[in-house]
Amino acid sequence: MAENGVTGVPQDCPGTSTEQAGKASPCQGCPNQALCASGQAQVPDPAVQQIKERLNGVRYKVLVLSGKGGVGKSTLTAQLAFGIATDESKQVAVLDIDICGPSMPRILGLDGEQVHQSGSGWSPVYSEDGIALMSTAFLLSSAADAVIWRGPKKNGLIKQFLRDVDWGETDYLIVDTPPGTSDEHLSTVQLLSAAKIDGAVIVTTPQEAALQDVRKEVDFCRKLKLPVIGVVENMSVFVCPKCKKESQIFPPTSGGAERMCHDMGLDLLGKVPLDPRIARCCDEGRPFLTEVPDSPACTAYRDIVQRVQRFCEAKPEKPKAME
């Protein structure tokens, strides 16, 4: 677990809010022992309640996660957003918390835009498809600028994004994350604890080198009691756009995502074939779902979008806070 900034918790941790915090035998050697023993970890972060109030108008919150880089999290985030936004009655927003490698502005066709402030906070930038986006990229003077920040500064910006951005009345807030199970992920889950996360979509590719890190992401979700909507296998096969012949680029030597889902009791949301037109659309900021609607990859994306929506919308409607 991770509470109030406490990370790296030992297996038999007594909890940060108990009298034994920092004093029990499992605490010996824990990097957070001094913090827990001081009682500082028991002080609630006021931002958690502020974020709950700010996100009162957001119906569903979904994280896109993977323990492995380069598996297509941002691409999937964009296709989820594009897919849900095809329903004109749905308002969709994307929060890009990949602080050091923000790519959502390019994928959504918003490169070079800047954030504006209003009396109600930061205003997200809107794409031609009506998708609202907030990203670190909007705060940089150049797309080539490196973000060289330590954890506390990253966490502070994520808190600011969640607390200060005016998302308004929004049906879906989709959070694109960097690879791993570290600062950005822990901060996001902790800060959204009161506002509630509806679930996580976990992304992988078929080869075991990716799956071994993705299993850690599943463990992360379970330890933090974060519901897993399901798993998406990207780059499942290569489908030639001309002859439609399938070829395996990343062989599923250990059974791929399907075997992992079976072993771990997860739902496989879909397998997306590798299609070079997906990368081209992302680079050009165009929605693949409408650019190449008859492709096998587009069919897979539409099925995934529907399954994510069914998972979220099957839950009881959350009551709105009192005005």
Side-chain angles (χ1 to χ4, degrees), residues 151-172:
K153 193 168 183 180
K154 291 181 183 179
N155 298 344
L157 182 60
I158 292 171
K159 181 184 294 187
Q160 195 168 4
F161 279 162
L162 291 170
R163 183 185 57 198
D164 297 345
V165 174
D166 182 14
W167 298 108
E169 293 293 323
T170 298
D171 292 287
Y172 283 86

Side-chain angles (χ1 to χ4, degrees), residues 69-103:
V71 296
K73 291 182 302 300
S74 297
T75 302
L76 179 67
T77 298
Q79 305 317 314
L80 283 174
F82 283 132
I84 297 171
T86 56
D87 181 348
E88 295 182 357
S89 70
K90 303 288 188 187
Q91 298 296 316
V92 184
V94 174
L95 174 59
D96 182 359
I97 63 165
D98 192 343
I99 306 297
C100 297
S103 55

Side-chain angles (χ1 to χ4, degrees), residues 16 19-23 27 32-42:
T16 61
E19 292 184 1
Q20 292 300 308
K23 304 170 186 175
C27 301
N32 300 303
Q33 183 179 8
L35 175 64
C36 290
S38 71
Q40 294 180 36
Q42 299 180 33

Side-chain angles (χ1 to χ4, degrees), residues 19 21 23 47 78 85 92 98 104 120 128 135 142 152 206 221 236 246 266 284 296-297:
E19 292 184 1
K23 304 170 186 175
V92 184
D98 192 343
M104 292 309 303
S120 56
E128 292 182 1
S135 172
S142 165
C221 291
S236 183
E246 294 186 1
L266 302 170
E284 296 173 359

